[in-house]
Amino acid sequence: QELKPLNSDSEPDRMDWSELETKFGALPTLPEAFRVGGVSKTLTNEYWRSLGQGYQKFADKVGVTVAYQAAQSEGDQLGQLTIAEGMVTQGYNVLLVSPQTDANLQPVIEQAKAANVPVVNVNDAVIPQAEHYVGNVQRDNGVRVAKWFIENRPNGGKVAIVEGQAGVYAAVQRTDGFKSTIEDGGKFTVVASVPGNWDRQMSYDAATNILQQHPDLVGFYCNNDGMALGVVEAVKAVGLEDKVVVFGTDGISDAYKSIAAGELTGTVDSFPVLTGEVAMEVALRLVADQKLPRVVATPQALITKENINDFQGEGVDVRTVLMKAAGK
Amino acid sequence: MAVPRLAFENISKVFPGVKALSDVSFDVAPGEIHALLGENGAGKSTLLRILSGVFRATEGEIKIDGAAHHFKRPESARQAGIAMIHQELQQVPHLTVAQNMFLGHSLTRFGGIVVNRREQERRAAEALAMIDPTINPAAPISTLKVAQRQVVEIARALLDKAKIIAMDEPTSSLTPSEFERLADIIERLSTRGVSIIYVSHKMDEVFRVCQRATVMRDGKVVGMVDLKKTATAEVIAMMVGRELLAEEHHSHATTTTSVEARNLNTARVRDISFDLHKGEVLGVAGLVGSGRTELLRALSGADKVTSGTIKVDGKLLTLSNPRAAIAAGIGLLPEERKREGIIPDRSVTINMALPSMNRFSKGGFINHRKLKRAAEDLLKRVNLRPFQLDRQIRLFSGGNQQKAIIARWLAAGSRILLFDEPTRGIDVGAKSEIYHLIEVLAAEGHSVIVVSSELPEVMRVSDRVLVMRDGIIVAELGRDELSEETIVSHAVGKADSRPGAA
Amino acid sequence: MSDTTQNAAVPSSKLFGSFSVRDTGTLIGLIAIVVLFGLLAPDFVSQRNLLNILQQSSINACLALGMTLVIISGGIDLSVGPTAAIAAVITATLLVAGIPVPLAILAGLGIGVICGLVNGVLVAYAGLQPFIVTLGTLSTYRAIALIYTGGNPVLGVPQGFRSLFNGSLLGIPNAVIMVAVVALLAWMLLKKTPLGEYLLAVGGNEEAAYVAGVPIAVTKITAYVISAVLAALASMILIGRLGAAEPILGNLWELDAIAAAAIGGASLMGGKGSVIGTILGAIILGAMRNGLTLMNVQAFYQLLATGLIILVAMMIDRVTRGRG
Amino acid sequence: MSDTTQNAAVPSSKLFGSFSVRDTGTLIGLIAIVVLFGLLAPDFVSQRNLLNILQQSSINACLALGMTLVIISGGIDLSVGPTAAIAAVITATLLVAGIPVPLAILAGLGIGVICGLVNGVLVAYAGLQPFIVTLGTLSTYRAIALIYTGGNPVLGVPQGFRSLFNGSLLGIPNAVIMVAVVALLAWMLLKKTPLGEYLLAVGGNEEAAYVAGVPIAVTKITAYVISAVLAALASMILIGRLGAAEPILGNLWELDAIAAAAIGGASLMGGKGSVIGTILGAIILGAMRNGLTLMNVQAFYQLLATGLIILVAMMIDRVTRGRG
Ligand SMILES: Nc1ncnc2c1ncn2[C@@H]1O[C@H](COP(=O)(O)OP(=O)(O)OP(=O)(O)O)[C@@H](O)[C@H]1O
Ligand SMILES: Nc1ncnc2c1ncn2[C@@H]1O[C@H](COP(=O)(O)OP(=O)(O)OP(=O)(O)O)[C@@H](O)[C@H]1O
Ligand SMILES: [Mg+2]
Ligand SMILES: [Mg+2]
């Protein structure tokens, strides 16, 4: 039957990652000589490298081989398609793909289906025809930051958004989640929502311009951490670091460092390593013919100076922390 | 008089900053061969380019068979029956000879969709055969020598069956024998009623083929003469505004050897050996394609020497590039001015100073004052006109560009000057100035090699002449042995060639 | 120097006699790459994979053919990607709205004509530099595609359209056949028609072309229109494959297309370029991508290899052609 | 007949007498943009914002100056972004390792020299096309930067370095002062030194320059080296500002730099270009970005405006210069 185009944020056929074991039991035994293919968006961003580490970590644990490849640059849509098609041709048993755009890996879904290879769409662009999706709720990234503002800045004020690449699903959802949530109470106004193109320099310049126009700004929300770190510098450059808060998204290690140093206010970590592990687990369960829901939601959490030590440091196992948070 | 075939009526043309033509009027009868004469920069090419639709006149009109025309594009002029041979070669390097000849109005098949190359090549070959049957119409134009390319330009104008053909220095790269064939063609065209406007700085040609001449100076018509009833000197006086003295040849050759070439071989010349003395002017004659240009290019470091030695003032040189040659005091005035000579968008001054930037710099900076002084001095010496030193060189007439390149080597202090067709496209006045200049340079102790296709020129300036054929030197003629017949017979290989000494 | 002394191949009027020295250089480059990858990755030379390479190269080849014509005319077209994007989203919208396939295709190609006309007119009549014109339209067209779709992909391209562009005939992908036909047409255009000569003339010596009565403006505009129409066609091949049209489709296509044309011997100074060379260039790039993936080379090293292979291909070519 | 009838500026030897007709065209374009944004966004013309614009334009201006020299010599340098990235990550690594600031800066600029040399030698000696050489090194250099850092940014650039590049003197950002000095040097190079004449000659007519004894190879190589060194300098301004060096820094810088040079009157055919024009071009682009942000224009429309403004700026300029 025809699948409804997937909306990963609102798909009803979903479960939380924490329920995998409880609902489906331990990982079944897998066929011999088994190869998993991972197709990443780009390796130039730590987020995607961490995701690959997650794949590898879980694969090592259960003893399967993974190949993790990425397009040569972010935006190289056909290059990524070539990679994914190559993996189907070469007879990988299951694919984990993080498409550049919503559509560029569409043919792989079809080819893989014909070759009977399950495909898991892992974050953040969403292939409408995808049968399996593992990832977080993009909108929720923005929502969480907006909630922080509502709780911690009861007087409201002016806020600004630095967006990712125009037209990219994650950017649109994150921006929209933040904007609609924060404007709900009527206390906050989004005075600027400008493109930062995932680029530090552009975000720095945009933030400088915004701050100069609105020196009374209370905070920024940025669609990823790289841009947020650029904005932090812009805020510091005009000496407003005590008044203006800056939030990023992704939870890359530099963001953690910056939060620990008291510069970046917070980031919404979507735990790429853990996401990778979960995605790998889902893939393997699919190979073992388990019937999983279409969407498996992975965890995310707003990291600030207050809770950073729960997620980072000696002896902290993020998995356990999050499991606990999920109430398991 | 009946309605003229062609009438220019009060044509004026203003370029930003220059009035190139003012109030030019004259007419040409059907079948007339009409010379258009004038010094460099007089406005001849500008007038013809207006006629052929390349430029638009600022004022005035052109009448063809009594009907007024204002051509907006070259195509409209062509359709009105005008063909033009441009002074500068107008060719596209990656097309073949035939494609170039038919460019803009290809012969086609299948309703204009497919170029009929075979037919084009056949007709191109026909037209070429009238002057030079050796040119292969299917060869890419870039493999042709300049002279051959000029033949192609002429042949292109003959394709159209035009009623007016404007020829702007059609023979500037050609040898007398090719001119003779062109002259025959022109006469045949004339008897068929085709009118021809003929621009040339070669007076003998003009008197040989033309009936009447319009003389221009500084963009104005200064007179119209019947060439059958006028003396050359009189015409020249009209052109340059003064009498030209016929100068005698003076030799300044010494016995000190300045250049000693032994057994030089390049891709195109073989076994070249000769001596050049201080103060000597050595002429090099030969047919088109005999390797004269390549000889000069080898000496100037522009072409690779595969074997043999060159000594300058007794010192062995390794000429890996022109820079090395320039440093050794050798300067080349190249044959193809537009391609190898000028940097079109830079001023004459800069074009002049390019090889000798170091002489005009101090502490790494150009000393513009010194440069300006040198430019004023040297460009005056070559009589640059208009005398605007900051003007882009491309805006000067061809002849004046040539003068600037000569000045270049004076500025560089070169002692050995290699002139490849030095007076190509240069007016009679300037020509005699250049001859004079060559003599002065020789007297000052420069050594000069002059390659020229104009035998009178070779004989006028040379102390000694080498004749080349097929890439080798076939004869060496002393000044007393010089005559057109001797040179030509050696050049074509009829004389008892290869004398022992070379 | 550089060009004038080089031994130019004498074009011949025989069909495919035009396989010049330059093209041979490119072919040797391609063979070298195929042999290299064939040794390193055994799957590489399987028939299936070679067809794959052709299919994967087809989009770039399609664009690069148009780019070659523009480059020959002395221009450059940076706006091919966004042009493709506009054509894609509009074609897809029409298809989704139930417009018959042929009409939708025509509309998409028509968009190409318009985009190309804008580029061409700005270059030919306004006299602006091609690089900067198409840099401007690169942004403008992309913005139009984004605004038109609100940034969302157009999903649900009907099967009829998809099988046309994504099907295969006797085992050969339709896209490959289409591009082969386009290449043949481009080759004929360049070698056999007056327009081909005009392109070479305008790019080779604009003044000479003008004096000879070549319609400069029309020639240039035609080149840009062809380039844009081929970009539109490439976008259809792509949406046929993807089943969806995105406004951000075609990102960085221009660089690949230019690279293919340049590897194939087109000179960015104009007046020179080869259809056969361009096709070989596109296949070289496609084979390289494919081979590196088969070898499971990590992304950073793929990037390194891409750069080095482009340089080496150009050098092999330079050496094979020989030069003074 | 594009160029031959066009009015050429008469070069003058007076200082700043070189503000040519062409530069005036660019200036009018800039004024038009400033007036437009001044009307639409009142904050735009505040002194503080104008300084902001200069600061934000400084990086692009720095690159564009080098690009102008390369373009004048008849080439193009697509590899500036990755060159900057390598220089940035290496400088930052050294700084973090505690190497003194001046040494680290020298090392970074030295990296620029090497990258430029590679480009220059491939263009000048191997005789490859500049576009394709620097397209190849664009990938290669980027890959090197990524491999060197493993893809991670280098954090913790020390304050001493940062304040040097990100501080200000009498209210004027150091970066602006540095780029102004670079511009002055570039202007002098072009107008006052033999090398400047060589660049113009090589780009204007390479063959004639060769016959006239201009050292072609050295001239071209110098242009690429200067471009790469300025890219390295630009990267230092950036890491001074951001406090971190990313291997992906400098993405698409080449397009902005080329756009600035072209808006400023450089001809991609070589032989023509203006330092003043390029600076104005960079400011036009910077002012446009700044103004659109101040007006809080939505992303898609910013893209649209960017494209249209580039086109309009070029047209204004074309009209002001007048043409036959
Ligand atoms: N495109 C142009 N722009 C500006 N001035 C020009 C242009 N073309 C020619 N001129 C000027 O017009 C005048 C006439 O030049 P023209 O080429 O017609 O001379 P000419 O009589 O053909 O000289 P020559 O015998 O040297 O060929 C010269 O002063 C020249 O500098
Ligand atoms: N690019 C080329 N390809 C093939 N043959 C060439 C080429 N250039 C020159 N030749 C040949 O080399 C020989 C010498 O030519 P060269 O130009 O030296 O003659 P020239 O006496 O100077 O004649 P011109 O009057 O044309 O200058 C000729 O036979 C010519 O056809
Ligand atoms: Mg003339
Ligand atoms: Mg010669």
Side-chain angles (χ1 to χ4, degrees):
Chain A
Q1 85 290 0
E2 267 296 293
L3 274 173
K4 245 185 348 111
L6 179 64
N7 180 332
S8 60
D9 283 8
S10 60
E11 171 68 34
D13 181 16
R14 62 193 301 130
M15 69 183 286
D16 193 65
W17 70 284
S18 54
E19 303 163 337
L20 269 177
E21 201 129 333
T22 46
K23 280 198 180 156
F24 293 93
L27 194 67
T29 40
L30 295 162
E32 290 289 310
F34 189 79
R35 286 194 301 167
V36 184
V39 182
S40 164
K41 206 165 163 179
T42 165
L43 295 186
T44 59
N45 184 327
E46 184 189 320
Y47 182 89
W48 300 105
R49 288 198 300 274
S50 304
L51 189 74
Q53 283 160 18
Y55 292 167
Q56 192 67 54
K57 196 167 159 192
F58 197 86
D60 288 348
K61 202 163 81 187
V62 298
V64 298
T65 38
V66 217
Y68 189 54
Q69 289 200 29
Q72 291 179 6
S73 65
E74 190 151 348
D76 180 12
Q77 302 157 12
L78 288 176
Q80 197 192 29
L81 178 59
T82 304
I83 290 172
E85 284 178 340
M87 287 185 157
V88 176
T89 317
Q90 289 177 81
Y92 281 81
N93 305 73
V94 58
L95 294 189
L96 295 155
V97 301
S98 308
Q100 299 272 3
T101 72
D102 294 352
N104 79 312
L105 295 187
Q106 181 78 34
V108 175
I109 300 277
E110 291 158 23
Q111 288 165 18
K113 197 166 187 172
N116 224 348
V117 175
V119 177
V120 183
N121 180 346
V122 187
N123 251 348
D124 52 19
V126 181
I127 307 175
Q129 297 307 308
E131 290 181 28
H132 304 285
Y133 180 91
V134 176
N136 54 9
V137 180
Q138 295 298 346
R139 234 183 107 75
D140 197 42
N141 287 306
V143 173
R144 280 174 198 255
V145 176
K147 284 186 178 150
W148 184 94
F149 274 100
I150 292 167
E151 278 167 29
N152 292 279
R153 294 288 182 272
N155 298 332
K158 293 177 175 176
V159 291
I161 308 172
V162 180
E163 305 167 15
Q165 187 90 43
V168 169
Y169 178 80
V172 173
Q173 291 293 315
R174 291 171 189 177
T175 303
D176 191 55
F178 178 79
K179 206 168 175 173
S180 50
T181 312
I182 204 160
E183 281 181 337
D184 227 14
K187 282 188 175 156
F188 289 91
T189 39
V190 176
V191 290
S193 185
V194 297
N197 280 359
W198 306 132
D199 183 277
R200 247 182 231 224
Q201 181 191 355
M202 220 175 143
S203 314
Y204 179 99
D205 287 349
T208 308
N209 296 340
I210 292 169
L211 285 172
Q212 174 215 320
Q213 201 177 13
H214 306 285
D216 51 345
L217 200 78
V218 296
F220 282 97
Y221 171 57
C222 307
N223 281 176
N224 81 357
D225 284 338
M227 296 195 295
L229 293 172
V231 171
V232 165
E233 293 300 329
V235 172
K236 273 161 60 187
V238 290
L240 286 173
E241 56 268 48
D242 294 335
K243 302 212 178 74
V244 181
V245 296
V246 182
F247 284 90
T249 308
D250 282 352
I252 63 174
S253 57
D254 296 341
Y256 270 83
K257 282 183 209 147
S258 184
I259 293 170
E263 296 188 329
L264 184 66
T265 318
T267 180
V268 182
D269 193 347
S270 42
F271 306 104
V273 179
L274 184 61
T275 305
E277 293 175 44
V278 172
M280 182 59 76
E281 183 177 345
V282 167
L284 299 181
R285 285 176 185 274
L286 288 172
V287 174
D289 277 338
Q290 293 194 343
K291 287 264 160 289
L292 300 182
R294 196 171 178 192
V295 172
V296 177
T298 51
Q300 58 206 130
L302 180 67
I303 310 294
T304 58
K305 208 167 171 136
E306 279 69 55
N307 66 358
I308 187 166
N309 289 326
D310 301 345
F311 292 92
Q312 197 196 36
E314 280 299 307
V316 175
D317 179 22
V318 175
R319 197 179 181 104
T320 341
V321 175
L322 289 168
M323 270 293 189
K324 210 184 284 156
K328 305 285 140 134
Chain B
M1 187 170 143
V3 180
R5 167 58 47 83
L6 167 69
F8 293 101
E9 296 192 349
N10 310 97
I11 303 275
S12 295
K13 174 69 185 175
V14 181
F15 290 114
V18 197
K19 184 148 194 190
L21 295 175
S22 42
D23 216 15
V24 171
S25 304
F26 68 92
D27 46 45
V28 182
E32 180 185 351
I33 307 167
H34 192 105
L36 183 58
L37 303 177
E39 294 181 276
N40 296 131
K44 306 177 294 293
S45 297
T46 304
L47 185 66
L48 296 191
R49 295 174 95 183
I50 290 171
L51 173 65
S52 67
V54 175
F55 290 158
R56 278 178 233 182
T58 314
E59 276 166 54
E61 61 189 17
I62 288 168
K63 283 192 177 153
I64 296 171
D65 295 329
H69 287 268
H70 296 270
F71 301 126
K72 291 206 171 78
R73 290 181 298 119
E75 194 52 23
S76 7
R78 202 183 73 83
Q79 275 158 7
I82 294 163
M84 170 144 177
I85 299 167
H86 287 270
Q87 181 174 6
E88 302 288 351
L89 296 171
Q90 298 289 2
Q91 290 161 345
V92 180
H94 291 277
L95 295 180
T96 65
V97 169
Q99 281 177 314
N100 265 292
M101 287 172 67
F102 284 93
L103 187 62
H105 32 96
S106 326
L107 301 179
T108 52
R109 288 184 291 181
F110 309 121
I113 297 174
V114 173
V115 177
N116 189 342
R117 286 227 203 165
R118 191 156 326 138
E119 180 63 11
Q120 284 192 171
E121 281 164 19
R122 198 183 59 74
R123 288 193 39 198
E126 262 175 35
L128 288 166
M130 291 191 265
I131 308 169
D132 182 354
T134 67
I135 297 174
N136 173 8
I141 197 101
S142 53
T143 60
L144 266 56
K145 300 301 299 172
V146 182
Q148 295 174 310
R149 291 173 61 182
Q150 193 161 38
V151 171
V152 172
E153 291 283 275
I154 297 173
R156 156 150 68 185
L158 303 178
L159 287 172
D160 274 347
K161 311 268 178 268
K163 30 184 191 184
I164 299 166
I165 304 182
M167 301 186 173
D168 196 354
E169 303 191 35
T171 59
S172 56
S173 305
L174 300 188
T175 51
S177 60
E178 285 152 330
F179 164 71
E180 281 307 323
R181 264 169 272 166
L182 176 63
D184 289 345
I185 294 169
I186 289 177
E187 272 152 20
R188 258 184 287 146
L189 288 169
S190 150
T191 54
R192 288 216 310 260
V194 177
S195 301
I196 286 162
I197 303 186
Y198 194 87
V199 173
S200 179
H201 293 296
K202 300 178 182 175
M203 285 301 138
D204 49 341
E205 289 184 358
V206 169
F207 277 88
R208 160 85 169 69
V209 294
C210 301
Q211 292 141 8
R212 289 195 299 164
T214 294
V215 181
M216 295 179 64
R217 191 170 348 123
D218 296 333
K220 298 184 194 69
V221 173
V222 292
M224 159 101 75
V225 293
D226 185 342
L227 291 173
K228 304 295 169 212
K229 296 179 193 148
T230 320
T232 313
E234 205 177 313
V235 176
I236 291 175
M238 271 176 94
M239 281 168 62
V240 301
R242 67 194 149 92
E243 287 288 326
L244 276 189
L245 305 176
E247 283 186 66
E248 284 298 301
H249 174 83
H250 300 286
S251 178
H252 304 280
T254 64
T255 49
T256 327
T257 307
S258 63
V259 177
E260 196 182 312
R262 288 294 173 269
N263 309 101
L264 288 185
N265 285 289
T266 73
R268 309 227 191 281
V269 295
R270 281 172 295 137
D271 204 26
I272 299 290
S273 301
F274 66 89
D275 285 346
L276 175 66
H277 301 120
K278 204 161 178 292
E280 184 183 32
V281 180
L282 178 64
V284 180
L287 297 184
V288 168
S290 55
R292 298 161 301 171
T293 295
E294 269 66 22
L295 171 60
L296 294 196
R297 285 183 63 90
L299 293 174
S300 70
D303 279 357
K304 206 169 144 236
V305 175
T306 49
S307 68
T309 56
I310 301 171
K311 281 188 192 164
V312 170
D313 298 333
K315 263 196 305 206
L316 199 62
L317 290 188
T318 26
L319 299 177
S320 46
N321 56 41
R323 225 175 146 62
I326 292 164
I330 301 174
L332 170 70
L333 178 82
E335 178 178 28
E336 212 179 328
R337 185 171 49 232
K338 193 171 165 190
R339 197 166 61 84
E340 307 162 308
I342 61 166
I343 314 293
D345 288 333
R346 305 301 292 154
S347 68
V348 257
T349 302
I350 293 298
N351 268 280
M352 180 205 79
L354 205 53
S356 37
M357 275 300 168
N358 293 334
R359 298 177 138 228
F360 298 110
S361 334
K362 220 165 93 190
F365 288 95
I366 300 171
N367 183 342
H368 278 285
R369 201 166 312 136
K370 187 171 169 195
L371 177 57
K372 188 161 177 246
R373 242 183 291 122
E376 274 170 0
D377 179 35
L378 294 168
L379 293 170
K380 185 159 282 157
R381 204 164 150 195
V382 297
N383 197 10
L384 180 82
R385 263 167 303 160
F387 196 69
Q388 293 177 9
L389 304 185
D390 285 337
R391 200 156 179 246
Q392 290 180 322
I393 197 165
R394 68 184 170 88
L395 300 177
F396 283 83
S397 69
N400 280 296
Q401 293 178 3
Q402 190 78 330
K403 294 181 194 167
I405 307 293
I406 294 180
R408 167 187 288 178
W409 300 118
L410 304 183
S414 304
R415 285 163 298 125
I416 296 148
L417 302 172
L418 312 178
F419 287 179
D420 199 353
E421 312 286 2
T423 63
R424 168 167 300 168
I426 291 196
D427 70 55
V428 274
K431 207 181 245 181
S432 75
E433 288 167 32
I434 286 174
Y435 296 159
H436 182 70
L437 201 59
I438 290 175
E439 214 160 271
V440 171
L441 293 172
E444 286 170 2
H446 291 84
S447 309
V448 187
I449 302 183
V450 177
V451 163
S452 175
S453 299
E454 287 182 62
L455 291 182
E457 175 167 302
V458 175
M459 300 200 304
R460 161 75 183 76
V461 298
S462 316
D463 300 324
R464 192 159 54 104
V465 172
L466 301 177
V467 184
M468 291 187 70
R469 191 174 74 230
D470 297 336
I472 54 178
I473 295 175
V474 291
E476 182 192 324
L477 306 170
R479 179 135 193 102
D480 42 356
E481 301 169 80
L482 288 184
S483 75
E484 298 209 5
E485 294 72 42
T486 342
I487 296 177
V488 169
S489 60
H490 284 293
V492 300
K494 280 191 200 129
D496 177 28
S497 56
R498 300 222 205 199
Chain C
M1 298 176 19
S2 54
D3 266 344
T4 41
T5 54
Q6 141 203 341
N7 204 344
V10 179
S12 129
S13 50
K14 275 165 280 154
L15 191 76
F16 291 107
S18 59
F19 204 86
S20 66
V21 184
R22 182 62 178 73
D23 292 339
T24 315
T26 317
L27 187 62
I28 291 174
L30 176 58
I31 292 172
I33 284 180
V34 170
V35 169
L36 182 75
F37 281 119
L39 292 176
L40 295 173
D43 294 348
F44 185 81
V45 285
S46 71
Q47 191 202 329
R48 163 105 185 269
N49 191 52
L50 293 179
L51 270 182
N52 248 346
I53 293 177
L54 288 185
Q55 171 156 31
Q56 285 159 1
S57 313
S58 62
I59 289 178
N60 186 26
C62 186
L63 293 161
L65 286 169
M67 188 67 80
T68 303
L69 299 182
V70 173
I71 288 177
I72 287 176
S73 83
I76 196 157
D77 186 356
L78 301 180
S79 72
V80 286
T83 300
I86 303 187
V89 294
I90 289 186
T91 310
T93 324
L94 293 177
L95 287 167
V96 170
I99 304 285
V101 172
L103 278 186
I105 293 178
L106 274 185
L109 298 179
I111 296 292
V113 172
I114 295 171
C115 291
L117 267 180
V118 171
N119 285 336
V121 166
L122 287 173
V123 168
Y125 286 114
L128 305 183
Q129 291 194 44
F131 195 99
I132 197 79
V133 164
T134 55
L135 189 64
T137 54
L138 170 78
S139 295
T140 312
Y141 294 166
R142 177 69 72 204
I144 292 173
L146 285 166
I147 292 168
Y148 175 76
T149 57
N152 301 312
V154 183
L155 302 172
V157 173
Q159 201 49 49
F161 178 89
R162 295 195 58 188
S163 47
L164 179 61
F165 285 95
N166 202 30
S168 59
L169 196 71
L170 307 174
I172 298 174
N174 287 356
V176 174
I177 298 173
M178 282 180 199
V179 174
V181 171
V182 170
L184 190 68
L185 291 176
W187 182 85
M188 293 204 302
L189 173 83
L190 207 55
K191 291 280 170 184
K192 301 286 172 192
T193 69
L195 183 61
E197 290 182 358
Y198 293 172
L199 288 167
L200 287 161
V202 169
N205 184 347
E206 186 166 334
E207 183 173 346
Y210 176 76
V211 165
V214 170
I216 308 277
V218 173
T219 305
K220 287 186 180 177
I221 292 173
T222 311
Y224 287 95
V225 168
I226 293 176
S227 169
V229 167
L230 290 183
L233 180 64
S235 81
M236 290 180 202
I237 296 178
L238 184 63
I239 61 176
R241 277 173 86 185
L242 301 183
E246 288 177 297
I248 50 173
L249 154 171
N251 192 21
L252 300 183
W253 277 8
E254 66 282 3
L255 288 187
D256 274 359
I258 295 168
I263 290 176
S267 155
L268 287 141
M269 293 286 131
K272 227 180 2 183
S274 147
V275 165
I276 299 173
T278 296
I279 293 290
L280 292 175
I283 298 176
I284 285 181
L285 290 174
M288 190 178 74
R289 285 254 165 92
N290 177 291
L292 291 171
T293 310
L294 284 189
M295 289 174 57
N296 195 18
V297 174
Q298 194 249 337
F300 298 168
Y301 291 92
Q302 281 209 22
L303 197 60
L304 186 68
T306 308
L308 292 178
I309 288 177
I310 290 179
L311 294 175
V312 171
M314 294 304 285
M315 278 192 283
I316 289 181
D317 164 73
R318 199 85 186 98
V319 173
T320 17
R321 263 185 306 153
R323 107 180 193 106
Chain D
M1 285 259 351
S2 55
D3 262 347
T4 40
T5 56
Q6 140 202 340
N7 195 350
V10 179
S12 136
S13 53
K14 274 166 279 151
L15 190 78
F16 291 107
S18 59
F19 205 87
S20 66
V21 184
R22 181 60 178 75
D23 292 338
T24 315
T26 317
L27 188 62
I28 292 176
L30 177 57
I31 292 172
I33 283 180
V34 171
V35 169
L36 181 77
F37 280 118
L39 293 175
L40 294 173
D43 295 345
F44 185 82
V45 285
S46 69
Q47 190 205 329
R48 164 112 182 266
N49 192 51
L50 294 179
L51 270 182
N52 249 343
I53 293 176
L54 288 185
Q55 172 156 30
Q56 286 161 5
S57 312
S58 61
I59 289 178
N60 186 25
C62 186
L63 294 161
L65 286 169
M67 189 66 79
T68 303
L69 299 182
V70 173
I71 289 177
I72 286 176
S73 82
I76 196 157
D77 187 356
L78 301 181
S79 72
V80 285
T83 300
I86 301 188
V89 294
I90 288 186
T91 310
T93 323
L94 293 177
L95 287 168
V96 170
I99 305 284
V101 173
L103 278 185
I105 293 178
L106 274 185
L109 298 179
I111 296 293
V113 172
I114 295 170
C115 291
L117 268 180
V118 172
N119 286 334
V121 167
L122 287 173
V123 169
Y125 287 114
L128 306 181
Q129 289 192 43
F131 196 99
I132 197 80
V133 164
T134 55
L135 191 63
T137 54
L138 170 76
S139 295
T140 311
Y141 294 167
R142 178 68 74 204
I144 291 172
L146 286 166
I147 292 168
Y148 177 76
T149 57
N152 297 310
V154 182
L155 298 173
V157 174
Q159 202 49 50
F161 178 90
R162 294 194 60 186
S163 47
L164 178 62
F165 285 95
N166 203 30
S168 59
L169 196 73
L170 306 174
I172 298 175
N174 287 357
V176 174
I177 298 173
M178 284 180 201
V179 175
V181 171
V182 171
L184 190 68
L185 291 176
W187 182 86
M188 292 206 302
L189 173 83
L190 209 54
K191 293 279 170 181
K192 302 283 172 195
T193 70
L195 183 62
E197 290 304 336
Y198 292 166
L199 287 167
L200 288 157
V202 169
N205 185 351
E206 182 169 334
E207 178 141 11
Y210 175 71
V211 171
V214 172
I216 308 280
V218 173
T219 304
K220 287 187 179 177
I221 291 174
T222 311
Y224 287 95
V225 169
I226 293 176
S227 170
V229 168
L230 290 183
L233 179 65
S235 80
M236 291 181 200
I237 297 178
L238 183 63
I239 61 176
R241 207 174 286 169
L242 298 180
E246 289 177 298
I248 52 168
L249 152 174
N251 193 22
L252 300 184
W253 274 9
E254 68 280 5
L255 287 187
D256 273 359
I258 296 169
I263 291 176
S267 156
L268 287 141
M269 292 288 129
K272 244 189 265 180
S274 146
V275 166
I276 299 173
T278 295
I279 293 289
L280 293 174
I283 299 176
I284 286 181
L285 290 174
M288 186 180 78
R289 294 252 160 86
N290 176 289
L292 291 171
T293 310
L294 286 189
M295 287 171 60
N296 194 20
V297 173
Q298 193 250 333
F300 300 168
Y301 291 92
Q302 279 212 20
L303 202 56
L304 186 68
T306 308
L308 292 178
I309 288 176
I310 290 179
L311 293 175
V312 171
M314 292 304 284
M315 279 192 283
I316 290 181
D317 164 72
R318 199 84 186 100
V319 172
T320 15
R321 262 184 306 153
R323 108 182 190 104

